[in-house]
Amino acid sequence: MVNKVDHIGIAVKNLEETLKFYEDILGIKCVAEEVVEEQKVKTAFLPLGDTEIELLESTSEDGPIAKFIEKKGEGIQHIAYKVDDIEKALEELKAKGIRLIDEKPRRGAGGAKIAFLHPKSTFGVLIEICQRD
């Protein structure tokens, strides 16, 4: 079902400051920034090998990233796994008793189709599955 780790999502308070660290200190360059209005988030993608780091800054005080940071602080928010057919993957996961946050895929950054699995079904890890065409 899963092909690879697509990206690791990291919640940050200030995208610009965080990018300075990743680019100037670690030498990982940002290739794209995007605002995803539906998710109330601004993202930056930093390729690393055959995966990416996705930095996530909330664009709203009531957005999911703002709530995550308020509750847990900055840090890893989710791990995304690439799948070939997200609709089929969701059907299989639901049939196996996995609790889904998203019953149907939604649009994510970079035009990906995404869906989240509930951490209560995944041993405390927020997992995103994604399909990139």
Side-chain angles (χ1 to χ4, degrees):
M1 178 186 303
V2 170
N3 296 327
K4 70 171 197 154
V5 173
D6 186 79
H7 65 272
I8 298 169
I10 300 174
V12 302
K13 291 179 183 175
N14 185 304
L15 191 60
E16 187 176 317
E17 286 180 17
T18 307
L19 276 172
K20 286 179 188 175
F21 170 77
Y22 277 87
E23 292 186 321
D24 299 344
I25 305 299
L26 298 180
I28 307 169
K29 299 300 178 193
C30 176
V31 296
E33 291 184 38
E34 180 181 350
V35 174
V36 182
E37 296 291 342
E38 303 86 42
Q39 295 181 34
K40 300 179 182 179
V41 70
K42 181 177 181 180
T43 66
F45 286 97
L46 300 99
L48 188 60
D50 68 345
T51 191
E52 292 181 309
I53 303 297
E54 179 187 30
L55 302 177
L56 304 147
E57 176 188 342
S58 187
T59 58
S60 172
E61 290 181 12
D62 68 341
I65 296 301
K67 290 177 183 177
F68 176 89
I69 290 173
E70 184 179 308
K71 186 175 179 181
K72 298 185 178 184
E74 293 179 288
I76 294 176
Q77 193 254 352
H78 70 271
I79 297 177
Y81 296 107
K82 183 179 180 218
V83 297
D84 289 328
D85 184 338
I86 195 166
E87 286 88 359
K88 182 179 177 184
L90 287 169
E91 288 175 17
E92 290 178 17
L93 289 162
K94 188 172 183 177
K96 292 177 179 179
I98 300 300
R99 186 172 164 192
L100 306 176
I101 292 174
D102 299 303
E103 296 277 333
K104 295 182 187 262
R106 55 184 156 135
R107 181 193 168 280
K113 293 180 185 176
I114 66 167
F116 286 93
L117 313 182
H118 200 286
K120 289 186 178 179
S121 289
T122 59
F123 301 92
V125 178
L126 179 60
I127 291 178
E128 173 185 321
I129 57 172
C130 65
Q131 176 184 335
R132 297 181 188 274
D133 294 326

